[in-house]
């Protein structure tokens, strides 16, 4: 809505100022006028404006002074200069100092309207960009990496120290542990947070294309290179490049990467021109690079270059106490996205999740919780809502034979009954009468056992 757009006009000629204010007001803008630079700055100090239109030459100040003060106090306010006396050259110099545009006298109102619309469009894009960057920073705050375990607290402590530096980081961890999430948290909480974050999965790009993807190429460098291409390193300049699955990098590209890290410059494929870089490198791998070095599959000097600050993300099976907060987080996230009430998990189902080895780590847990939210009708997750492999692992882990150390017979029998009732209900589609027939007991007996064992009726 144009009436929400505020424009300040600073013009010492009364008739010119009033005419411009009337025209802008008729278009629908909220306007205010001042006859001197000092008056204009006084108004600006008390309220915000989207656009300032100021004469380049005023009795007390010139437009350059006003431009400097506006950009210092309100960088997102756009300044349009009005100039005459053949001083377009001065106006161009002002644009280099941050003015959006200039228009010469006598004013063409249609031309001014176009300039104002473009300035507003630029301001909107800048605002959206600031908002999106704020959203990214909030998304990748440390608080959004879930983990109460001692291992994760040590990880957070190291990350907080790392963000104060520009050191090269190597993130080590099994597949699914959240290596890219950690890399983004380091970037978006560090000094380069307003610069690009470029992620490259080295194992997902064909070997014959990987060099061009990383370092770019010039036109005609190879068959199919019909135009020049900016590589990922150049795209990440002044920001961070994240090299995931770095252990899969071919040997000849390891050599080129080492040179880039050492010299902080690169050559595009097919060119001998050096391009200077200022890029933070964060890499990640799920393989043991030291073993790969010993086998001759990875350059030792590159390993040391990448491994300046190592970060080890522990697998989920080594931090069982994080399964509950992670489960709650994924339940809330998926329930919101599927627009259903927040679901909860009962004690037995949680025990089954905690007993499972989680070879796919946090990613596997997240996928399973999403599936459960999508397929479960009730708001309480029980053992029978979990995938069969998790239930089987849990049941088989319950001791059912007597050992010299003894056994809790009542607990063991209860677990067997729970498992059998759960399996019967699953096969019967939740119909108790049908499940009772399968178990060769009365329906009333089944209901009694379910109540005694804490199984949801």
């Amino acid at each position: 809505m144009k009436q929400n757009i505020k424009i300040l006009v600073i013009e010492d000629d009364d008739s010119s100022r009033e005419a411009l204010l009337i025209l802008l007001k008729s278009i629908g803008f909220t306007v205010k006028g001042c006859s001197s630079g000092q008056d204009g700055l006084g108004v600006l100090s008390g309220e915000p404006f989207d656009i300032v239109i100021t004469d380049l030459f005023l009795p007390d100040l010139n437009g350059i002074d006003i431009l400097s003060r506006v950009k210092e106090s309100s960088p997102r306010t756009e300044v349009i200069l009005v100039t005459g006396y053949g001083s377009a050259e001065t106006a161009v110099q002002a644009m280099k100092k941050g003015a959006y545009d200039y228009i010469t006298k006598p004013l063409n109102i249609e031309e001014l309207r176009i300039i104002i619309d473009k300035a507003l469009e630029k301001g909107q894009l800048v605002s959206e960009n600031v908002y999106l960057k704020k959203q990214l920073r909030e998304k990748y705050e440390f608080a959004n990496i879930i983990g109460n375990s001692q291992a994760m607290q040590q990880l957070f402590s190291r990350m907080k120290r790392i963000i104060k530096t520009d050191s090269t980081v190597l993130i080590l961890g099994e597949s699914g542990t959240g290596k890219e999430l950690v890399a983004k948290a380091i970037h978006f909480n560090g000094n380069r947070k307003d610069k690009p974050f470029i992620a490259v999965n080295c194992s997902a790009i064909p070997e014959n294309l990987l060099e061009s993807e990383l370092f770019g190429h010039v036109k005609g460098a190879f068959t199919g290179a019909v135009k020049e291409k900016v590589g990922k390193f150049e795209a990440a300049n002044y920001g961070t490049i994240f090299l995931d699955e770095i252990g899969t990098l071919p040997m000849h590209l390891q050599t080129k990467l080492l040179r880039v890290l050492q010299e902080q410059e690169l050559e595009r494929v097919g060119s001998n021109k050096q391009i200077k870089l200022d890029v933070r490198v964060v890499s990640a791998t799920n393989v043991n690079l030291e073993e790969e070095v010993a086998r001759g599959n990875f350059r030792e000097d590159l390993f040391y270059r990448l491994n300046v600050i190592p970060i080890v993300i522990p697998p989920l099976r080594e931090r069982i106490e994080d399964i509950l907060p992670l489960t709650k987080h994924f339940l809330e996230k998926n329930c919101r996205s599927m627009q259903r009430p927040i679901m909860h998990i009962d004690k037995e189902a949680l025990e089954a999740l905690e007993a499972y080895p989680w070879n796919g780590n946090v990613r596997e847990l997240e996928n399973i919780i999403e599936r459960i939210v999508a397929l479960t009708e009730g708001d309480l997750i029980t053992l029978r809502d979990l995938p069969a492999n998790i239930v089987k692992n849990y049941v088989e882990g319950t001791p059912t034979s007597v050992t010299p150390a003894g056994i809790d017979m009542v607990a063991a029998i209860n677990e067997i009954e729970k498992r059998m009732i759960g399996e019967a209900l699953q096969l019967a589609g939740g119909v108790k009468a049908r499940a009772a027939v399968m178990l060769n007991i009365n329906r009333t007996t089944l209901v009694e056992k379910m109540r005694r064992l804490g199984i949801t009726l």
Side-chain angles (χ1 to χ4, degrees):
M1 298 293 288
K2 285 187 175 178
Q3 59 263 38
N4 295 328
I5 302 300
K6 295 174 64 178
I7 299 178
L8 177 65
V9 176
I10 307 175
E11 168 63 72
D12 62 313
D13 183 83
D14 293 341
S15 59
S16 297
R17 183 179 67 254
E18 290 305 317
L20 186 52
L21 289 172
I22 291 169
L23 283 167
L24 291 173
K25 194 171 183 180
S26 69
I27 295 170
F29 296 114
T30 299
V31 295
K32 187 171 283 191
C34 295
S35 59
S36 70
Q38 291 293 354
D39 287 346
L41 292 175
V43 170
L44 283 165
S45 66
E47 58 181 305
F49 285 84
D50 300 286
I51 292 176
V52 173
I53 301 174
T54 178
D55 200 324
L56 185 58
F57 297 104
L58 295 163
D60 55 345
L61 293 171
N62 64 43
I64 305 292
D65 295 328
I66 295 170
L67 168 65
S68 299
R69 296 280 289 276
V70 170
K71 288 300 176 183
E72 183 180 331
S73 61
S74 179
R76 288 159 70 178
T77 299
E78 298 296 345
V79 178
I80 299 171
L81 293 167
V82 179
T83 180
Y85 315 110
S87 54
E89 185 178 338
T90 308
V92 171
Q93 291 299 317
M95 288 179 65
K96 292 180 179 178
K97 294 188 177 183
Y100 178 74
D101 208 342
Y102 71 94
I103 186 169
T104 56
K105 294 179 179 179
L107 296 184
N108 180 322
I109 193 61
E110 283 305 314
E111 182 184 356
L112 181 60
R113 282 184 66 171
I114 291 170
I115 293 172
I116 289 173
D117 286 344
K118 288 184 176 178
L120 292 172
E121 185 179 343
K122 178 195 171 190
Q124 183 178 357
L125 290 172
V126 168
S127 296
E128 288 175 358
N129 193 31
V130 169
Y131 172 75
L132 290 172
K133 285 181 176 178
K134 181 174 180 289
Q135 291 285 89
L136 277 173
R137 283 197 293 273
E138 289 175 354
K139 182 177 180 180
Y140 296 112
E141 286 179 346
F142 290 168
N144 292 323
I145 303 177
I146 310 299
N148 299 329
S149 62
Q150 185 178 355
M152 290 302 290
Q153 293 307 311
Q154 290 173 350
L155 174 66
F156 296 147
S157 177
R158 172 161 282 206
M159 287 170 65
K160 286 174 183 175
R161 290 195 294 272
I162 288 171
I163 62 173
K164 299 174 184 177
T165 76
D166 272 340
S167 300
T168 303
V169 177
L170 177 61
I171 304 173
L172 306 165
E174 294 179 7
S175 180
T177 50
K179 296 187 288 295
E180 184 167 348
L181 185 63
V182 169
K184 286 179 176 176
I186 291 171
H187 171 78
F188 287 108
N189 290 278
N191 300 327
R192 298 174 183 257
K193 59 177 177 266
D194 294 322
K195 302 302 180 183
F197 175 90
I198 304 295
V200 184
N201 188 325
C202 298
S203 66
I205 302 172
E207 185 176 332
N208 61 324
L209 299 178
L210 188 54
E211 183 174 11
S212 171
E213 282 293 313
L214 288 174
F215 307 116
H217 64 251
V218 296
K219 182 179 179 180
F222 50 83
T223 303
V226 294
K227 61 180 180 179
E228 72 174 23
K229 175 184 174 67
V230 173
K232 301 296 187 183
F233 267 90
E234 279 184 81
N237 211 8
Y238 304 110
T240 301
I241 189 166
F242 173 56
L243 302 174
D244 199 6
E245 305 295 351
I246 190 69
T248 65
L249 200 66
M251 188 61 73
H252 71 283
L253 293 184
Q254 292 180 30
T255 303
K256 188 161 185 176
L257 175 59
L258 177 64
R259 189 161 58 248
V260 169
L261 294 176
Q262 288 174 334
E263 306 299 331
Q264 281 292 293
E265 60 185 23
L266 61 78
E267 294 176 3
R268 291 181 181 176
V269 177
S271 170
N272 56 10
K273 179 184 175 182
Q274 302 294 322
I275 299 172
K276 297 298 289 183
L277 293 173
D278 177 9
V279 178
R280 181 177 199 172
V281 177
V282 178
S283 53
T285 181
N286 59 10
V287 300
N288 189 321
L289 284 187
E290 289 182 275
E291 291 181 2
E292 292 301 297
V293 168
R295 294 190 187 106
N297 296 328
F298 202 85
R299 290 187 61 124
E300 185 175 25
D301 44 6
L302 177 59
F303 169 67
Y304 290 129
R305 278 279 175 183
L306 296 172
N307 195 39
V308 176
I309 299 180
I311 291 181
V312 180
I313 307 178
L316 189 54
R317 63 182 172 274
E318 292 181 8
R319 48 187 182 103
I320 293 172
E321 57 266 53
D322 290 334
I323 290 176
L324 177 57
L326 282 166
T327 298
K328 286 182 176 178
H329 171 73
F330 294 139
L331 282 174
E332 290 173 5
K333 173 185 171 183
N334 286 287
C335 287
R336 277 197 304 268
S337 68
M338 297 183 197
Q339 297 182 331
R340 61 175 297 173
I342 301 298
M343 300 173 69
H344 302 281
I345 186 167
D346 74 7
K347 182 174 180 292
E348 187 179 35
L350 176 61
E351 288 174 354
L353 293 182
E354 291 177 339
Y356 189 66
W358 298 110
N359 294 327
N361 289 291
V362 178
R363 186 187 297 130
E364 184 184 5
L365 175 61
E366 182 175 13
N367 292 341
I368 283 174
I369 297 300
E370 181 179 352
R371 186 195 316 166
I372 290 170
V373 172
L375 299 179
T376 304
E377 291 184 3
D379 293 336
L380 181 66
I381 298 167
T382 65
L383 192 63
R384 70 169 181 241
D385 299 314
L386 302 183
N389 58 326
I390 295 179
V391 175
K392 181 181 178 184
N393 175 78
Y394 176 63
V395 171
E396 290 179 350
T398 303
T400 56
S401 58
V402 182
T403 67
I407 184 173
D408 186 336
M409 187 174 75
V410 173
I413 291 171
N414 285 344
E415 289 302 329
I416 293 170
E417 286 190 329
K418 274 186 181 181
R419 174 174 59 82
M420 292 178 128
I421 291 170
E423 289 173 354
L425 286 168
Q426 196 166 19
L427 289 169
V431 179
K432 297 183 186 68
R434 197 179 302 163
V437 171
M438 291 179 184
L439 294 168
N440 199 24
I441 58 177
N442 293 326
R443 184 185 182 281
T444 53
T445 304
L446 173 61
V447 171
E448 269 180 38
K449 286 182 178 292
M450 289 176 67
R451 187 176 288 112
R452 177 173 57 81
L453 296 169
I455 301 173
T456 304
L457 294 173

